[in-house]
Amino acid sequence: MFSRMFGKPKQETNALTTLDKLNETLEMLEKKEKVLLKKAAGEVEKAKEFTRAKNKRAAIQCLKRKRLYEQQIEQLGNFQLRIHDQMIMLEGAKATTETVDALRTGASAMKAMQKATNIDDVDKTMDEINEQTENMKQIQEALATPIGSAADFDEDELEAELEELESAELEEQLLQPATSAPAAPVQVPGGRLPARAAPQKQRTAEEDELAALQAEMAL
C-alpha cells in the first residue's frame, strides 16, 4: 500500500523530468539547425563571389562545405523527428498510466464500499424495515378498532334497522293523499256569475232534542 502511495508521485516526477529533458534537447537541435542553415547560406554567397572572381576551385570547395552542412541539417531534422516521436509516446504512456491508476482507485473504492455493505447486511436491513412496517400496520389497526359500547354494536342489525326505516318512510309517502286541483270556474252566458247556493242553516241543540222527542212519541 505504501509503495503505491509513494510510487505514483515518483513515477509522475520521472515522466515530467524526461519530458523536460526531451524539450531541452529539441530546443538545442533547433538552434544548431538554424546555425547550420546560416553557414550553408554563407557558403553559397562565398561560392558566388569566387565565381565572379573566376576562382572555380574555391567556389567548388564552398559548395562542398554547403553540402556537408546540409547533411548535418538533415541529420538534425531526423533527430528532431525521433524526439517528437519519443515525446508523443511518453505523453501517451503517461496518460495511459494515469487512466489505469484512476480505474484502479475506482475499483478499490468500489471494493471498499462492497465490504461496508455486503448482501447479508442489506437483507437484514430489509427484514427489519418489513418488520417495522408490519408492526406499524398492526398498531394502526388496533387504534381503529372500536372500544366500549360501540364495540357491542352489530353491523348486521344496524343495517336491518336502517332498511326498516327506509321502508316505513316510503310507505308513509305512498299513503299521503294527493293534493286536489282547484275546480275550474263555470262560464255563464252574458258574463253573469252563477248564483251561489244558500248556506244551510245550522240546527241548534234544542231543535235536535225536539226532533228526538217527536220520534219517540211517534213510536
Side-chain angles (χ1 to χ4, degrees):
M1 181 177 180
F2 289 103
S3 61
R4 290 181 180 178
M5 292 177 62
F6 294 103
K8 181 180 177 182
K10 185 177 181 180
Q11 292 177 358
E12 186 175 358
T13 303
N14 291 334
L16 293 175
T17 303
T18 304
L19 286 172
D20 291 339
K21 182 65 177 176
L22 290 173
N23 278 320
E24 292 177 0
T25 304
L26 186 61
E27 291 176 359
M28 180 267 296
L29 293 175
E30 290 175 352
K31 289 180 180 179
K32 285 187 175 181
E33 184 180 12
K34 290 180 180 179
V35 173
L36 291 175
L37 287 172
K38 188 175 181 180
K39 289 182 177 181
E43 293 298 331
V44 172
E45 294 297 329
K46 290 180 182 180
K48 291 179 179 180
E49 292 177 0
F50 286 125
T51 302
R52 296 190 194 97
K54 306 297 182 178
N55 190 349
K56 183 177 180 181
R57 183 176 178 180
I60 292 175
Q61 292 296 324
C62 291
L63 293 177
K64 288 181 178 179
R65 287 192 296 270
K66 179 185 76 74
R67 290 197 176 180
L68 291 176
Y69 291 144
E70 288 175 349
Q71 290 178 359
Q72 291 181 5
I73 292 170
E74 184 178 359
Q75 189 176 12
L76 290 176
N78 293 331
F79 290 164
Q80 292 177 25
L81 288 176
R82 290 183 181 181
I83 290 176
H84 279 295
D85 186 28
Q86 188 69 28
M87 290 175 66
I88 292 172
M89 291 180 62
L90 185 59
E91 289 175 352
K94 183 175 177 293
T96 302
T97 303
E98 291 177 353
T99 303
V100 172
D101 289 339
L103 294 174
R104 186 182 294 112
T105 303
S108 300
M110 183 69 69
K111 188 176 181 180
M113 287 188 291
Q114 289 178 354
K115 286 183 178 179
T117 56
N118 54 25
I119 188 63
D120 296 333
D121 293 338
V122 174
D123 291 338
K124 184 178 179 180
T125 303
M126 293 304 298
D127 292 339
E128 292 178 355
I129 293 174
N130 292 332
E131 183 179 357
Q132 293 174 3
T133 304
E134 187 65 27
N135 292 337
M136 182 58 65
K137 197 179 296 183
Q138 293 177 2
I139 292 173
Q140 292 175 351
E141 292 177 356
L143 292 175
T145 303
I147 59 175
S149 300
D152 299 332
F153 295 154
D154 190 350
E155 295 291 335
D156 295 335
E157 293 181 358
L158 294 174
E159 291 286 344
E161 184 177 355
L162 180 60
E163 290 179 0
E164 291 178 1
L165 291 175
E166 292 176 350
S167 299
E169 181 70 18
L170 180 60
E171 184 177 357
E172 184 178 354
Q173 292 178 1
L174 292 176
L175 291 177
Q176 288 180 357
T179 304
S180 58
V186 179
Q187 297 291 335
V188 178
R192 295 181 180 179
L193 295 174
R196 294 185 179 180
Q200 296 181 358
K201 187 177 180 181
Q202 294 182 352
R203 298 170 63 180
T204 63
E206 295 177 355
E207 291 176 350
D208 291 337
E209 291 178 358
L210 181 59
L213 181 60
Q214 290 177 357
E216 290 178 358
M217 292 178 65
L219 294 175

